[in-house]
């Protein structure tokens, strides 16, 4: 690796981690807001959206510039490709966090839904998946990445249970359907954050081992 490429790679690593930190904070605030209906948390998530979006654009441009100027190969090329993909996944996580607080804002002042929905546990898992996927990226740790993929199965089960429960509640009382739809949307947003964290974990495995693990569950 040339000195210039090494410098550029380290700068990319620093910038993707800065974006990851912002997104992790947004996800944490949005999941906490589910329980607390705290307008301060809601506003913090919304206010960070523009910053996250701009960082995503800047990092993409930086990656393309490094590719054009240095023509990296092997592990360096894989790292830049992974940064491009992770960059997009992180921005989309930020979007999901905004979607959650938008739904919460809609629910403020409305009668809570009487349903057995464990948003606290779903939020905890989603936050852990974001944190651990970024840790896997920083440490280039395949073992952590694979644990993130296992956590995704747990989150998927909770999302499926939430969906069934809310469908049942809506069938019993059609008047609460607008509120129930917001609950379903929040559940879907949390599940999607898990999927995006899994994407990052999969990219870490690709970067370190050259193995493409997407769709392996479906193939099995």
């Amino acid at each position: 690796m040339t000195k210039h490429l090494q410098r550029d790679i380290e700068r990319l690593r620093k910038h993707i981690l800065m974006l990851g930190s912002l997104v992790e904070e947004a996800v944490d605030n949005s999941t906490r807001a589910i329980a607390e209906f705290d307008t301060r948390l809601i506003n913090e998530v919304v206010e960070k959206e523009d910053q996250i979006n701009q960082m995503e654009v800047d990092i993409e441009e930086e990656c393309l510039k490094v590719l054009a100027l240095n023509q990296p190969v092997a592990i360096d090329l894989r790292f830049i490709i992974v940064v491009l993909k992770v960059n997009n996944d992180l921005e989309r996580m930020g979007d999901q966090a905004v979607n959650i607080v938008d739904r919460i804002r809609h629910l403020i002042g409305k009668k809570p839904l009487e349903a057995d929905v464990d948003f606290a546990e779903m939020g905890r898992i989603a936050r852990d998946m974001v944190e651990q996927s970024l840790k896997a990226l920083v440490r280039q740790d395949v073992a952590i990445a694979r644990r993130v993929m296992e956590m995704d199965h747990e989150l998927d089960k909770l999302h499926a249970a939430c969906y069934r429960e809310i469908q049942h509640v809506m069938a019993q009382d059609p008047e609460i359907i607008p509120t129930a739809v917001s609950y379903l949307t929040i559940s879907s947003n949390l599940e999607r954050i898990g999927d995006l964290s899994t994407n990052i974990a999969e990219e870490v495995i690709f970067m370190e081992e050259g193995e493409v693990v997407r769709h392996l569950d479906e193939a099995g």
Side-chain angles (χ1 to χ4, degrees), residues 3-216:
K3 189 176 296 185
H4 289 300
L5 179 56
Q6 184 176 13
R7 179 199 62 202
D8 290 344
I9 292 269
E10 287 307 311
R11 186 168 61 244
L12 274 178
R13 192 188 310 275
K14 176 183 177 182
H15 289 171
I16 198 69
L17 293 179
M18 289 170 61
L19 175 59
S21 178
L22 282 175
V23 171
E24 191 174 349
E25 181 183 354
V27 170
D28 182 57
N29 285 338
S30 66
T31 53
R32 285 167 54 204
I34 295 171
E36 301 172 22
F37 276 33
D38 187 330
T39 55
R40 179 185 59 83
L41 293 172
I42 292 171
N43 291 336
E44 284 184 15
V45 172
V46 173
E47 288 166 5
K48 285 280 169 51
E49 183 183 20
D50 286 343
Q51 186 178 357
I52 288 171
N53 290 343
Q54 186 58 53
M55 282 196 71
E56 189 259 346
V57 171
D58 292 344
I59 289 170
E60 180 177 319
E61 290 177 351
E62 193 174 349
C63 285
L64 296 176
K65 184 177 179 181
V66 173
L67 286 170
L69 294 178
N70 295 281
Q71 298 182 338
V73 296
I75 186 65
D76 298 325
L77 178 59
R78 286 213 299 266
F79 175 78
I80 296 168
I81 291 170
V82 165
V83 168
L84 275 168
K85 292 181 176 181
V86 168
N87 185 45
N88 181 251
D89 287 333
L90 287 170
E91 188 274 333
R92 290 159 71 194
M93 281 187 202
D95 289 343
Q96 296 302 316
V98 171
N99 291 343
I100 288 171
V101 297
D102 280 347
R103 286 298 88 201
I104 295 168
R105 186 182 282 131
H106 178 75
L107 291 169
I108 291 174
K110 291 183 171 59
K111 181 182 177 182
L113 195 69
E114 294 183 7
D116 184 16
V117 175
D118 197 351
F119 279 151
E121 181 64 4
M122 291 183 71
R124 183 194 66 78
I125 295 172
R127 288 195 304 272
D128 285 351
M129 289 182 71
V130 175
E131 179 185 358
Q132 293 302 310
S133 65
L134 291 169
K135 185 181 291 185
L137 180 65
V138 174
R139 299 183 181 179
Q140 298 176 282
D141 191 317
V142 170
I144 296 175
R146 293 191 186 279
R147 284 202 294 273
V148 171
M149 295 172 68
E150 292 170 4
M151 293 165 70
D152 191 47
H153 295 305
E154 187 177 354
L155 186 56
D156 286 346
K157 289 177 183 176
L158 286 169
H159 173 55
C162 173
Y163 197 90
R164 289 192 300 270
E165 171 69 9
I166 293 177
Q167 275 190 319
H168 174 72
V169 171
M170 286 192 294
Q172 300 300 312
D173 183 5
E175 290 186 5
I176 55 87
I177 286 177
T179 298
V181 168
S182 289
Y183 277 64
L184 282 175
T185 302
I186 290 171
S187 181
S188 295
N189 294 147
L190 290 169
E191 190 266 344
R192 188 64 187 137
I193 289 170
D195 287 345
L196 292 165
S197 299
T198 300
N199 288 353
I200 294 175
E202 290 170 347
E203 294 305 334
V204 171
I205 294 170
F206 167 72
M207 180 172 62
E208 293 303 304
E209 298 184 347
E211 179 187 3
V212 178
V213 295
R214 295 191 305 275
H215 315 308
L216 287 185

